[in-house]
């Protein structure tokens, strides 16, 4: 599912240059939310027969109820899933309606409640998901409509499911489509200060856009090289926000390798005392922004 109500594109993303210890996630709840996640879920399911709901994790944190049975195969982790969904707060306020989205099941492209509930669904099935906030948008929320610690009710219809080919069997166009989608989802999560989820999607974007040479033999197009550089840069930024300096430096090195191969970067010299100092000083040499 879209992790944010307004999609962040490469050109629209707001630059993020503050150090990790200067960033404070937004945690203000939406004005209409006055109950806790547990209370919201209990209230939303109060009048529904208990036997209609499946406890996805064996407790009340995520519940699934089938509205219409599917006629297709069971969904499997790793498949490309196309769904249509409507999302609302426990108060009944609709925040997204009749939205179609394609995502890779189990890859963190959608909130955990959808990933986990869809794993129990079939093609053609329509179902409801009732989830506590920690399996939705958590403490951070998804401004402006979904505040901190909001439980959600989501109505989902599974439209299609396709197996994802091995990366080595994909065309450049297929890899670009999946990889760039993950990069944009990473941008959405970065924009709402969910850097853990942003890093996960950026890392997976790099997996599809810039796989090892033994997996893909052909030379990348200029468009693909641009997306590769953007994804590695974004991953470095997100890791910096999490103070994961070693992995951040490695992501930045991968970006520099791509730029250097296009003769756009001069060799940088200098010895620094620590990985943290290396990362900070190299960061100041470039006008970093989200891509």
């Amino acid at each position: 599912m879209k992790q944010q109500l307004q999609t962040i594109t490469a050109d629209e993303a707001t630059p993020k240059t503050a150090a990790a210890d200067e960033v404070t996630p937004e945690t203000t709840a939406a004005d209409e939310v006055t109950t806790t996640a547990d209370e919201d879920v209990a209230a939303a399911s109060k009048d529904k027969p208990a036997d209609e709901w499946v406890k996805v994790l064996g407790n009340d944190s995520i519940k699934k109820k089938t509205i219409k049975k599917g006629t297709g195969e069971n969904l499997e982790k790793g498949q490309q899933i196309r769904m249509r969904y409507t999302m609302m707060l426990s108060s009944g306020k609709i925040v997204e309606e009749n939205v179609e989205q394609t995502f890779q099941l189990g890859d963190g492209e959608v909130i955990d409640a959808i990933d986990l509930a869809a794993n129990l669904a079939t093609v053609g099935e329509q179902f409801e998901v009732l989830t506590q906030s920690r399996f939705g948008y958590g403490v951070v929320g998804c401004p402006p409509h979904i505040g901190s610690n909001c439980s959600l009710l989501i109505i989902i219809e599974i439209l299609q499911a396709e197996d994802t080919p091995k990366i080595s069997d994909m065309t450049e166009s297929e890899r670009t489509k999946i990889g760039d989608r993950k990069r944009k989802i990473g941008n959405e999560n970065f924009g709402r200060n969910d850097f853990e989820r942003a890093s996960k999607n950026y890392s997976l974007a790099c997996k599809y856009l810039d796989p090892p040479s033994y997996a893909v033999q052909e030379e990348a197009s200029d468009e693909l090289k641009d997306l590769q550089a953007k994804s590695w840069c974004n991953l470095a930024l997100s890791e910096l926000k999490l103070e994961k300096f070693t992995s951040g430096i490695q992501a930045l090195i991968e970006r520099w390798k791509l730029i250097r191969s296009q003769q756009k970067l001069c060799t940088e010299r200098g010895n620094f005392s620590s990985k943290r100092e290396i990362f900070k000083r190299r960061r100041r040499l470039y006008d970093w922004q989200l891509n």
Side-chain angles (χ1 to χ4, degrees):
M1 133 171 336
K2 295 184 295 180
Q3 299 290 320
Q4 186 173 347
L5 301 179
Q6 297 178 351
T7 302
I8 296 177
T9 63
D11 295 332
E12 294 170 340
T14 302
K16 304 278 185 176
T17 57
D21 54 2
E22 297 173 345
V23 178
T24 302
E26 298 180 11
T27 59
T28 302
D31 293 339
E32 70 271 19
V33 180
T34 58
T35 58
T36 66
D38 290 347
E39 292 169 342
D40 286 340
V41 169
S45 59
K46 181 178 179 181
D47 298 325
K48 300 178 185 297
D51 59 357
E52 290 186 359
W53 291 97
V54 173
K55 296 181 178 181
V56 176
L57 298 177
N59 53 42
D60 289 337
S61 56
I62 307 174
K63 295 181 179 181
K64 174 182 176 288
K65 184 182 75 169
T66 299
I67 301 173
K68 183 185 74 173
K69 292 184 178 181
T71 57
E73 298 292 328
N74 292 332
L75 305 188
E76 296 182 7
K77 183 178 179 180
Q79 287 183 317
Q80 301 296 317
I81 309 299
R82 185 165 64 89
M83 69 174 175
R84 181 187 298 114
Y85 71 91
T86 293
M87 178 183 293
M88 62 189 75
L89 304 177
S90 58
S91 63
K93 180 179 179 180
I94 295 175
V95 293
E96 293 184 287
E97 188 171 14
N98 291 328
V99 178
E100 284 197 18
Q101 181 182 356
T102 298
F103 68 98
Q104 189 164 353
L105 185 60
D107 242 20
E109 292 188 30
V110 291
I111 60 174
D112 293 338
I114 293 178
D115 250 344
L116 293 168
N119 199 49
L120 303 177
T122 60
V123 176
E125 182 176 341
Q126 187 175 9
F127 57 95
E128 293 181 359
V129 177
L130 195 58
T131 179
Q132 294 179 2
S133 62
R134 66 193 182 106
F135 294 102
Y137 292 99
V139 176
V140 177
C142 189
H145 300 295
I146 302 176
S148 173
N149 295 321
C150 281
S151 59
L152 300 168
L153 176 64
I154 313 154
I155 302 172
I156 301 171
E157 182 179 5
I158 303 298
L159 303 175
Q160 186 179 28
E162 293 182 348
D163 292 338
T164 304
K166 293 181 179 179
I167 291 178
S168 57
D169 294 334
M170 288 184 179
T171 64
E172 179 179 299
S173 176
E174 290 171 330
R175 289 191 293 110
T176 299
K177 182 179 180 180
I178 294 175
D180 194 36
R181 184 183 74 210
K182 293 179 184 293
R183 179 185 67 86
K184 290 177 179 177
I185 292 172
N187 285 357
E188 293 171 7
N189 286 292
F190 192 102
R192 65 183 191 88
N193 295 333
D194 188 345
F195 304 119
E196 287 284 358
R197 192 172 287 270
S199 280
K200 180 176 181 178
N201 278 282
Y202 290 143
S203 180
L204 291 169
C206 293
K207 172 184 173 181
Y208 282 91
L209 296 171
D210 192 18
S213 57
Y214 63 79
V216 177
Q217 302 295 327
E218 69 270 15
E219 178 71 17
S221 65
D222 290 340
E223 177 187 5
L224 179 56
K225 288 178 180 178
D226 182 57
L227 290 174
Q228 290 170 346
K230 287 179 178 179
S231 297
W232 284 117
C233 179
N234 292 356
L235 177 58
L237 278 169
S238 189
E239 293 293 271
L240 173 61
K241 294 292 187 180
L242 296 169
E243 296 189 352
K244 296 180 179 180
F245 298 105
T246 300
S247 55
I249 291 171
Q250 186 57 49
L252 193 56
I253 289 172
E254 294 299 326
R255 176 180 183 267
W256 284 345
K257 286 179 181 178
L258 293 168
I259 295 176
R260 190 178 293 116
S261 69
Q262 300 174 58
Q263 300 181 345
K264 292 182 179 179
L265 183 70
C266 297
T267 303
E268 179 196 355
R269 297 177 182 177
N271 296 315
F272 305 104
S273 60
S274 69
K275 290 182 178 180
R276 183 186 180 101
E277 186 62 17
I278 291 173
F279 200 82
K280 286 186 173 180
R281 293 185 63 175
R282 289 185 175 180
R283 180 177 183 272
R284 290 195 292 268
L285 296 177
Y286 299 91
D287 180 20
W288 279 23
Q289 67 178 29
L290 202 65
N291 293 281

